[in-house]
Structures are given as C-alpha cells and as structure tokens.
Amino acid sequence: QKEVEQNSGPLSVPEGAIASLNCTYSDRGSQSFFWYRQYSGKSPELIMSIYSNGDKEDGRFTAQLNKASQYVSLLIRDSQPSDSATYLCAVNTGGGNKLTFGTGTQLKVEL
Amino acid sequence: DVKVTQSSRYLVKRTGEKVFLECVQDMDHENMFWYRQDPGLGLRLIYFSYDVKMKEKGDIPEGYSVSREKKERFSLILESASTNQTSMYLCASSLWDEKLFFGSGTQLSVL
C-alpha cells in the first residue's frame, strides 16, 4: 500500500505567523506532489504543485520537496483567518494521473 | 473556469437500491475520477477514466461500477447500495495531468 501521511491536527497558529504543514510519502518513485485546500463543507481546490527538489513559492505559499527524505511541506506566511481549512497532501504514486491523498491537516488561524 | 457538476448535493437511498451518481465537466478534460471521502480515511480513489468508454479501477472499486459514454460525463453506479457506502462522493476531472478540479460533492446516505 503506497501511503501518504499527514498529522491530522488541528494546527493552531496566531494571525500573521507562519504555518508549517508536513507530509511524508512511502513510494520512492513518486514524481509529482500537490497541496489542496478544503474549506469545511466544500470540495478540495488545488493551491500548489511541485515536481523538483527544493522550494517553490507562490504568493504567501511555499511548497518544499525533499525526495531523498520523502518529505513535502507547505509553508503559509502571514497566516490569515481565511487560511483556516484542511490541507490535503497528494502524491502521484501509481503513474498515470492517479493521486493518493493524505488524510489532511486541519489548520486554525486565530485572531 | 472549469466547472465540474454533480447532479445531487444530498441523496438518501435504501439498502439494496441501485444508485446512479452523475458528473459532468465542461472543459473537454480527458481524465475523470470518482473519489469517496470519509472522516479519518481521507480521499480514496474508486474508479477513473482516461478516455471515452475506458475505465480503470482505483484503490476501492468493490461494490461500484462506472460508465463513460461521452467525454464530458462520468457516472458512478452502486449496483446494490449498502450502509457502508454512506459517504461523500467527489467527482474530479483533469486535462492531461494530475491537477484535479473537483465537483461540489454528493453526500450519500444509505439507510
């Protein structure tokens, strides 16, 4: 079973702080990694993709990938209450376009 | 914007009924997927399709079948609904990669 692991949280951070969300995966051959955000009662939406080792920045979001350690993370700078959601890590584990999702980390940004 | 439309937001069915969940996308996407989402288990892939009349099993296909007669439409069929199929069902599509666009979901209750 190819797995994607996330801490379920909740992760609580104060407004304006950096939120750090982590994900590990078991399939060493995985090449594509994604972060989806899911608000309560809504469907997931893609916020970041990363394919190469290192950092990828998009606005307040930075995705980090370390294939040697089989680790992918998402940093959210200047966290806002509107960032409060569940963040799902997804990894292409079987080739083709199939994604395996982690169970998600709930983030709460407090005023 | 990509629109993925699921026919029902809430559905209540009886054990043993045949259930059809419909999904339509309007962006000429090649790939379509059916996931179910359960608390603590995350998103799990049921079936997917890369082309018309083509289907492949995901991680949990037992008790389900699918139909893709037209490129824009992907149907999930529960041949004989059971209580353990009570779940949130999410349809997704993608053009040619793993960047999924999700529908709003169908919350199915089997009594």
Side-chain angles (χ1 to χ4, degrees):
Chain A
Q1 181 75 20
K2 296 171 181 175
E3 294 182 343
V4 178
E5 301 282 348
Q6 294 181 258
N7 187 317
S8 62
L11 172 67
S12 293
V13 299
E15 184 178 7
I18 296 175
S20 178
L21 304 162
N22 304 315
C23 172
T24 59
Y25 60 95
S26 62
D27 183 6
R28 190 168 289 279
S30 298
Q31 297 294 323
S32 309
F33 307 86
F34 304 87
W35 284 98
Y36 285 80
R37 178 176 61 199
Q38 186 173 25
Y39 291 114
S40 180
K42 302 294 186 182
S43 55
E45 56 178 334
L46 178 67
I47 54 172
M48 290 288 286
S49 60
I50 188 166
Y51 304 94
S52 305
N53 278 330
D55 295 359
K56 178 182 178 182
E57 188 174 317
D58 184 0
R60 295 187 296 113
F61 298 99
T62 299
Q64 299 176 317
L65 176 61
N66 184 327
K67 290 184 180 179
S69 300
Q70 295 176 243
Y71 178 94
V72 58
S73 64
L74 178 70
L75 300 179
I76 307 175
R77 289 183 300 281
D78 188 24
S79 295
Q80 301 296 310
S82 59
D83 295 325
S84 297
T86 296
Y87 290 80
L88 304 173
C89 174
V91 179
N92 186 323
T93 57
N97 293 322
K98 286 174 48 179
L99 292 182
T100 298
F101 284 82
T103 53
T105 298
Q106 184 183 7
L107 174 66
K108 294 184 176 180
V109 180
E110 298 168 334
L111 295 170
Chain B
D1 279 353
V2 176
K3 191 163 185 182
V4 180
T5 302
Q6 294 185 231
S7 54
S8 303
R9 185 72 178 96
Y10 298 97
L11 210 53
V12 179
K13 296 293 181 180
R14 296 287 182 188
T15 302
E17 280 193 74
K18 191 169 186 176
V19 181
F20 293 86
L21 302 183
E22 305 288 344
C23 176
V24 178
Q25 50 93 4
D26 66 355
M27 284 301 291
D28 203 33
H29 280 180
E30 305 295 328
N31 307 321
M32 297 190 75
F33 305 83
W34 275 106
Y35 286 87
R36 63 178 283 178
Q37 186 172 30
D38 301 286
L41 296 177
L43 279 157
R44 292 179 291 166
L45 181 62
I46 305 171
Y47 267 97
F48 60 102
S49 169
Y50 293 146
D51 200 354
V52 176
K53 297 191 185 294
M54 173 270 175
K55 60 186 178 184
E56 287 197 33
K57 293 180 180 179
D59 299 318
I60 52 164
E62 296 78 18
Y64 303 94
S65 62
V66 290
S67 172
R68 194 171 182 195
E69 296 295 320
K70 294 184 177 182
K71 189 175 185 179
E72 67 270 18
R73 186 180 297 270
F74 192 36
S75 303
L76 180 69
I77 304 156
L78 287 65
E79 296 290 342
S80 177
S82 63
T83 55
N84 63 11
Q85 293 178 310
T86 291
S87 185
M88 171 65 79
Y89 289 87
L90 289 162
C91 175
S93 71
S94 69
L95 183 55
W96 48 263
D97 58 10
E98 309 102 322
K99 295 178 180 176
L100 303 182
F101 294 87
F102 284 89
S104 55
T106 296
Q107 178 62 52
L108 173 67
S109 296
V110 182
L111 305 178

